[in-house]
Amino acid sequence: MERFRMYIGGEWCAAVGGETFASMNPATGENWADIPKGDSRDVDIAVRAAHRAFTEGPWPAMTASARGMLLHRLGDLIAQNAERLADLEVRDNGKLRAEMLGQMKYLPQWFYYFGGMADKIEGAVTPIDKPGMFHYVSYEPLGVVAAIAPWNSPLLLATWKIAPALAAGNTIVVKPSEFSSASTLLLAELVEQAGVPAGVFNVVTGFGLDVGEPLVKHPLVARVAFTGSDAGGRRVYQNAAADFKRVSLELGGKSANVVFEDADLEEAAKGVLSGVFAATGQTCMAGSRLLVQRSVHDRLVQRLVELMGDARLGDPLDPSTHVGPVSTPPQLEKVLQYIDIARREGARCVLGGGRSTRPGCEKGLFVEPTIFTGVNNRMRIAQEEVFGPLLVVIPFDTEDEAVALANDTQYGLAAGVWTGDMERALTLPKRIQAGTVWVNAYRVVSYMAPFGGFKSSGIGRENGQRAIYEYLEAKSVYINPKPRIANPFVLG
Ligand code: NAD
């Protein structure tokens, strides 16, 4: 077992209570890491350290350019350690090493992009409508940010919070998922190496109720950035509301991938498969509802089954593997339950449909990639997020019907449209209620492009230039150079 420690106030420490918990490798079923089990006492120490670092010492005195350079240095260190970081993530969540390594190699871009923005946050002088008065707007950091991340892309989703929050001059306490703490603790080592002052970046490991809740409720936390389930997000929103903390929530989805008869069907088939089965379906943006025009329904389904039938399940560390295990035991249970629900609702299973019995998959948490046809959009299997390798197929006849089906969900995270018709490519994104719409593509993200949800998929946006303003507060300053208060009882 590898032993990890938390990083609080520039120190490496065990939990105050001395307890630890194990992290399991989902590909082998074996526990591999020993992680400190923090609680509200550790949270309090970390938040106080972050608050101190925000109000005194080198961080608030540092120029924005110097802050940006630190983030650049951190980006370089991440690039140099991409392999180590990827290995830890694969061991924790079982996603393909190729995907995790790709993410780790891309991660530095967030630190370069937001680091570069640190000294470009300009205020403005206002041509204010008050004679003799001088007015300007400045943008100021909020204070201590609490960043709470899920297990599916642990560091990528933490980075979407860490990079803009620190670039804006805040300090941060990160709480990784209890299923995937290791890579965030290695990141803390790199933060220390980069020379980020003590207390600016802290990591408290542990469970949602023990660490996440007290972190959100802590009176010295100014801003909460959460990525996770609807249930977690609802609790976070309620708890943060008690003292009006700023909140962003990146939650679930049931995203539609819409294929029209005029699409390049071969490309669409590949896009649909990678949209839902990559990362074993465990991405918030998974295109888990395939809406397909009836005229090409059978052809497309047949091609999906053919292509997916050849997919290799197995060890995520093996470069020839196409689909890895489901990441956690509760997730495995959930996926199997939804396969049952789909059958009971009358959907027809045309591929997979259960736990994998392939050689090499016996001990891990493997589920066969599963496709259900004969689904209608009112079924639970079409409305509820499964977060696993499960695709439901729903036919439609007209464009209007496709739009209505795509929007008939509580979620609004993402959608894909596959078409060869330029007019449709240009007009459909506007009609679909989702934070991201891809046309003839799926599951593309960039540090430059805003990401977030409509409706129940969340609040706020990460990435893109405006994301940094989610970690800043506008301040309005009036300066009266020559006070002449004519009548103190009338506001001027
Ligand atoms: P989760 O809600 O169970 O946990 C997410 C994090 O929140 C964990 O660190 C957990 O410990 C913590 N947490 C749980 N309860 C909490 C509480 N009451 N207060 C504070 N923190 C709490 O979610 P998960 O299972 O780790 O992640 C999967 C979910 O995340 C899926 O629903 C998926 O769609 C969503 N997700 C969304 C995005 C996005 O950008 N929209 C990205 C990835 C994952």
Side-chain angles (χ1 to χ4, degrees):
M1 292 275 270
E2 284 186 41
R3 279 184 197 292
F4 288 82
R5 285 178 303 162
M6 300 195 277
Y7 185 65
I8 298 177
E11 305 283 334
W12 293 94
C13 47
V16 172
E19 285 186 66
T20 61
F21 64 98
S23 192
M24 191 196 81
N25 179 339
T28 62
E30 282 161 16
N31 290 338
W32 75 278
D34 192 44
I35 308 288
K37 186 170 176 292
D39 62 26
S40 60
R41 293 168 291 177
D42 305 280
V43 168
D44 188 53
I45 296 168
V47 174
R48 286 182 191 285
H51 191 255
R52 251 190 330 276
F54 179 71
T55 49
E56 57 193 68
W59 187 245
M62 195 177 281
T63 64
S65 303
R67 215 165 55 224
M69 285 308 296
L70 274 185
L71 293 185
H72 257 260
R73 208 172 302 149
L74 178 55
D76 290 346
L77 287 168
I78 292 170
Q80 288 160 23
N81 287 276
E83 306 259 350
R84 281 174 74 200
L85 289 164
D87 285 344
L88 293 185
E89 298 222 319
V90 175
R91 237 169 281 166
D92 259 342
N93 74 7
K95 277 169 79 169
L96 297 190
R97 187 170 189 280
E99 168 158 1
M100 288 294 113
L101 186 57
Q103 278 190 10
M104 294 308 111
K105 287 185 170 168
Y106 196 26
L107 220 52
Q109 296 304 327
W110 270 265
F111 291 96
Y112 302 148
Y113 181 75
F114 286 106
M117 225 181 269
D119 59 5
K120 292 164 199 71
I121 302 159
E122 296 180 345
V125 175
T126 319
I128 200 82
D129 62 327
K130 313 288 173 206
M133 190 74 78
F134 180 73
H135 179 267
Y136 68 90
V137 182
S138 65
Y139 292 94
E140 300 186 5
L142 301 160
V144 179
V145 173
I148 301 177
W151 45 263
N152 60 326
S153 287
L155 264 194
L156 183 78
L157 297 167
T159 290
W160 291 9
K161 301 156 185 49
I162 297 165
L166 294 186
N170 301 281
T171 58
I172 197 160
V173 178
V174 184
K175 186 239 168 287
S177 165
E178 52 274 32
F179 295 108
S180 59
S181 311
S183 61
T184 310
L185 293 168
L186 175 51
L187 178 72
E189 263 181 62
L190 306 179
V191 167
E192 190 180 38
Q193 265 181 49
V196 174
V200 170
F201 178 93
N202 308 273
V203 183
V204 182
T205 50
F207 290 78
L209 293 182
D210 300 340
V211 175
E213 286 235 8
L215 184 56
V216 173
K217 288 180 176 169
H218 199 291
L220 290 177
V221 166
R223 163 81 161 87
V224 182
F226 174 89
T227 299
S229 63
D230 310 6
R234 192 167 288 117
R235 281 295 290 175
V236 167
Y237 204 24
Q238 283 163 347
N239 285 331
D243 47 3
F244 305 106
K245 292 191 173 92
R246 277 72 184 131
V247 178
S248 58
L249 303 171
E250 299 281 1
L251 307 175
K254 192 76 189 178
S255 300
N257 216 343
V258 189
V259 179
F260 287 93
E261 62 191 3
D262 54 29
D264 179 329
L265 277 198
E266 187 59 20
E267 291 309 309
K270 288 187 270 176
V272 166
L273 291 179
S274 73
V276 65
F277 293 120
T280 320
Q282 301 170 121
T283 65
C284 51
M285 63 193 93
S288 49
R289 272 190 310 149
L290 168 60
L291 309 182
V292 54
Q293 202 152 22
R294 205 177 301 275
S295 51
V296 291
H297 175 280
D298 293 353
R299 253 167 70 207
L300 184 63
V301 169
Q302 190 190 342
R303 192 66 189 125
L304 294 177
V305 170
E306 271 167 25
L307 284 170
M308 212 51 218
D310 289 340
R312 281 187 294 273
L313 259 70
D315 180 0
L317 291 170
D318 180 343
S320 69
T321 297
H322 295 130
V323 181
V326 167
S327 294
T328 70
Q331 200 50 42
L332 175 72
E333 278 313 302
K334 185 175 170 191
V335 176
L336 296 176
Q337 270 171 20
Y338 272 103
I339 289 175
D340 258 11
I341 290 170
R343 287 211 169 92
R344 276 188 269 120
E345 285 183 310
R348 195 162 71 90
C349 185
V350 294
L351 185 74
R355 204 168 169 166
S356 179
T357 52
R358 299 186 199 197
C361 293
E362 307 88 343
K363 287 195 187 141
L365 314 179
F366 289 90
V367 176
E368 286 294 326
T370 297
I371 301 179
F372 279 101
T373 58
V375 173
N376 80 59
N377 207 48
R378 289 285 96 219
M379 292 179 177
R380 283 183 64 189
I381 196 70
Q383 289 291 327
E384 298 174 15
E385 185 185 48
V386 178
F387 218 61
L390 198 157
L391 176 71
V392 300
V393 187
I394 302 170
F396 69 85
D397 290 303
T398 65
E399 184 176 302
D400 285 349
E401 194 188 347
V403 170
L405 284 168
N407 290 337
D408 178 18
T409 160
Q410 62 162 317
Y411 294 111
L413 193 60
V417 175
W418 297 85
T419 180
D421 179 334
M422 181 64 95
E423 187 184 345
R424 198 172 260 157
L426 288 169
T427 55
L428 228 63
K430 193 166 172 52
R431 300 181 67 195
I432 296 180
Q433 296 165 324
T436 298
V437 180
W438 296 282
V439 179
N440 296 333
Y442 204 88
R443 224 174 147 242
V444 184
V445 293
S446 165
Y447 50 92
M448 294 185 189
F451 186 83
F454 279 39
K455 304 193 278 186
S456 301
S457 288
I459 292 173
R461 290 291 178 272
E462 298 190 310
N463 307 335
Q465 285 192 34
R466 281 168 52 192
I468 201 160
Y469 291 94
E470 300 236 356
Y471 295 92
L472 291 162
E473 201 84 87
K475 181 175 281 176
S476 199
V477 180
Y478 291 84
I479 299 177
N480 191 354
K482 204 166 181 189
R484 263 189 225 99
I485 313 285
N487 179 348
F489 305 106
V490 178
L491 288 178

